[in-house]
Amino acid sequence: KTLGTFILDLTLPLDTLWAGMDYGLQKQIKKGKELAFYVKKAENLDDLRLYHNLLRDFRVKMGFRAPRFSLVAEQWRFLHQKENSCYEVFLCFGADGVLLAGLGLFINPQAGSFIEVASARAKSAGNLPAGDWLRWSIIQWAKSAGLTHYDLAGVNPAAARTAKEANIYRYKAKWGGKFYPVYFYEKYCWQG
């Protein structure tokens, strides 16, 4: 079956990336700036626990299980390094210091690319553009860190997708990245 992903080319100038985005998305990012949202890269286990708590609450609300903190912390200890880190977590706060959104990234330092994993949003974020501001801040961080490609993670391009999948596709397409198909194969064994 075919799925896909949108990938942003971060070798392009920031102005070009901005111009390639959907106008409505640009407005949301400007709103995040006006609301004085700020983004912090997780630096320690306390920051990671904030992210985990947000992720756990978000996943439970969505009807999914969440990993135990001990597993997330072990992943952090193994993959998060000061140099050539393979795992980073970013947190978006409102001007009042309330955590609104979080996003984990798996990074391939050798390839200069990264992919989103485990996005979470606080119930208190409501319709605020916390996720948009967070991703835009990550793009700026990634460019300054010398990363070259941002994989916005999976989408379903098929006409038979669900309404939720269609919304995810539309949202990720708004960032202006190039669509790439990703193919999955399943092997079925017959035992007679």
Side-chain angles (χ1 to χ4, degrees), residues 28 37-39 58 68 73 76 82 96 102 121 147 151 160:
Q28 291 295 87
F37 288 171
Y38 65 94
V39 171
F58 181 73
R68 294 186 319 273
W76 174 267
K82 293 202 184 301
D96 56 1
R121 182 179 178 81
L147 297 172
D151 187 335

Side-chain angles (χ1 to χ4, degrees), residues 123-155:
K123 185 178 180 181
S124 61
N127 291 327
L128 295 173
D132 301 331
W133 180 255
L134 179 60
R135 283 178 179 84
W136 180 245
S137 299
I138 287 170
I139 288 168
Q140 294 174 77
W141 165 82
K143 284 189 66 64
S144 70
L147 297 172
T148 58
H149 291 90
Y150 184 177
D151 187 335
L152 293 167
V155 294

Side-chain angles (χ1 to χ4, degrees), residues 15-166:
D15 292 346
T16 303
L17 291 169
W18 179 263
M21 293 181 345
D22 177 81
Y23 176 72
L25 181 59
Q26 291 174 350
K27 283 179 54 175
Q28 291 295 87
I29 293 168
K30 288 177 184 176
K31 183 176 178 183
K33 183 176 183 178
E34 290 167 7
L35 293 170
F37 288 171
Y38 65 94
V39 171
K40 177 183 192 284
K41 186 168 73 158
E43 298 294 339
N44 54 48
L45 288 178
D46 290 336
D47 292 341
L48 189 65
R49 188 173 291 281
L50 281 175
Y51 169 69
H52 178 264
N53 290 342
L54 179 68
L55 181 63
R56 182 196 60 223
D57 294 347
F58 181 73
R59 288 186 63 83
V60 166
K61 184 181 87 171
M62 300 296 286
F64 299 115
R65 291 178 24 187
R68 294 186 319 273
F69 181 72
S70 61
L71 293 174
V72 174
E74 187 61 27
Q75 176 179 312
W76 174 267
R77 280 191 272 280
F78 184 71
L79 296 173
H80 179 76
Q81 308 293 323
K82 293 202 184 301
E83 299 293 324
N84 295 321
S85 180
C86 296
Y87 180 51
E88 294 291 350
V89 170
F90 290 83
L91 305 168
C92 179
F93 296 89
D96 56 1
V98 173
L99 179 60
L100 300 173
L103 182 60
L105 306 174
F106 281 144
I107 302 167
N108 181 336
Q110 289 74 30
S113 63
F114 62 100
I115 188 169
E116 298 185 349
V117 293
S119 173
R121 182 179 178 81
K123 185 178 180 181
S124 61
N127 291 327
L128 295 173
D132 301 331
W133 180 255
L134 179 60
R135 283 178 179 84
W136 180 245
S137 299
I138 287 170
I139 288 168
Q140 294 174 77
W141 165 82
K143 284 189 66 64
S144 70
L147 297 172
T148 58
H149 291 90
Y150 184 177
D151 187 335
L152 293 167
V155 294
N156 184 351
R161 63 186 171 218
T162 66
K164 179 181 176 183
E165 290 171 331

